[in-house]
Amino acid sequence: MSINEKSYAFGAAKSSIREIAAYGAARKAEIGAENVFDFSIGNPSVPAPESVRAAIERCAQLPPTELHGYTPAAGLPQARKAVADSLNRRFSTSYGLEDLYLTCGAAASISITLHALVNPGDEVIVIAPYFPEYRVWIETAGATCVEVMADPETFQIDTAAVAAAITPATKAIIVDSPNNPVGSVYSAQNLADLAQVLTTRGEEIGHPIYLVSDEPYREITYGVEVPWVPAAYERTIVCYSYSKSLSLPGERIGWVLVPNTNPDHDELMFAVAGAGRKLGFVCAPALFQRVLAECVDEPTDIDAYARNREALTRGLSELGYEYIEPQGAFYLWVKALEPDAEAFFRKAKAFEILPVPSDSFGCGGWVRLGYCVSYDTIVNSMPAWKKLMEQYR
Ligand code: PLP
């Protein structure tokens, strides 16, 4: 074939999350939305805050050439400063706008960061179960994706397993807390242990190992604190987006932060800018850079997710399902009722329940339920979950 084989393969294989979501949409059109219980995709069900709409309306008054023009590649200075000031207030840091590069959401932040870091033949560690696009972005950057299973009891990072997986080719590790798909939040102790492993093993292999902290769910938590990762490990790069915290996934706005405490800060900022250029991003959406400058401190509305989480966990536990109690994000990691998660998914689908089988996330035996859905979807799905359970009795 004369076209790019890797791109063809990624396109032909498709994302199973998106495939299931597309099936869900078609099925809703067929039998009515109220009869399909689609827990597949992480599209926020909470509307974007009113302040976002107000900021859009204010920005729309700007002269069109200013509003729609290119911005600097790293983003408008006022937007980057607003983000830096906000982080400084929250995490007692002293970041400046020169530490930030605005992006088209977390997908772009991570792709850019990986392209900034890796050379062909490098390895990047992910903690399984993991967000499936990590593999796509790692391989596209020319590196190999190395899976390390999380601790099977706690779903914290198994730092001994990470230490064992590090080779001279290891360039980086991606962590995501609050975690998609499990909902776990890595404790300060777990991150301190990871930092120790990365430092020690980095010294042994003779070059630093970077920690890419993917944080689109940072604000969506249920009574636990999410430690600030650069405080635990100095060679951290933070990737963020407003897709979930401000419910703006279609607007494509986020950032990469190379903290000024990172010893390789200057080279990394050049490499980040170079990767953004290389990948053709040009600049993040101009309107939403301006909106961001005004809304950066807007609190995330988590009440609906907290209510959904409570209804879903209570309902499923009463029926006898096992799951990991989520500490953050809006996903529930539920044990499949048979070892083959795909087979379990097919049986769930027959009752119009659409979870995502865990094979997509790099392990077997579980399914992920996105509870960023309407409350009614959760409540009304319970009879179907009951019938599914009865099939296994
Ligand atoms: N990282 C994780 C863990 C995610 O769950 C997602 C989206 O669901 C992304 C990155 C990509 O987010 P964005 O829509 O901001 O590109």
Side-chain angles (χ1 to χ4, degrees), residues 105-107 110 131 134 176 180 214 216-217 241 243-244 252:
I110 300 162
F131 182 54
Y134 289 164
D176 115 78
N180 174 8
D214 176 27
Y217 302 97
S241 110
S243 295
K244 317 291 171 171
R252 315 308 302 143

Side-chain angles (χ1 to χ4, degrees), residues 28 32-40 45 307-308 311-312 316 351-354 369-385:
K28 282 177 190 173
E34 68 285 5
N35 298 314
V36 181
F37 311 112
D38 181 0
F39 295 99
S40 61
S45 49
R307 185 167 174 245
N308 285 357
L312 188 60
L316 291 185
F351 292 108
E352 311 299 348
I353 304 172
L354 301 177
L369 307 185
Y371 54 85
C372 45
V373 294
S374 74
Y375 183 73
D376 286 352
T377 299
I378 291 174
V379 174
N380 296 338
S381 71
M382 286 305 149
W385 285 109

Side-chain angles (χ1 to χ4, degrees), residues 19 122 159 207 313 383:
E19 289 271 273
D122 283 349
T159 53
H207 62 80
T313 53

Side-chain angles (χ1 to χ4, degrees), residues 162 166 173 194-203 209 211 233:
V162 170
I166 290 171
I173 176 168
L194 177 66
Q196 183 63 52
V197 162
L198 298 181
T199 306
T200 312
R201 293 290 287 124
E203 280 162 13
I209 301 169
L211 195 169
Y233 186 64

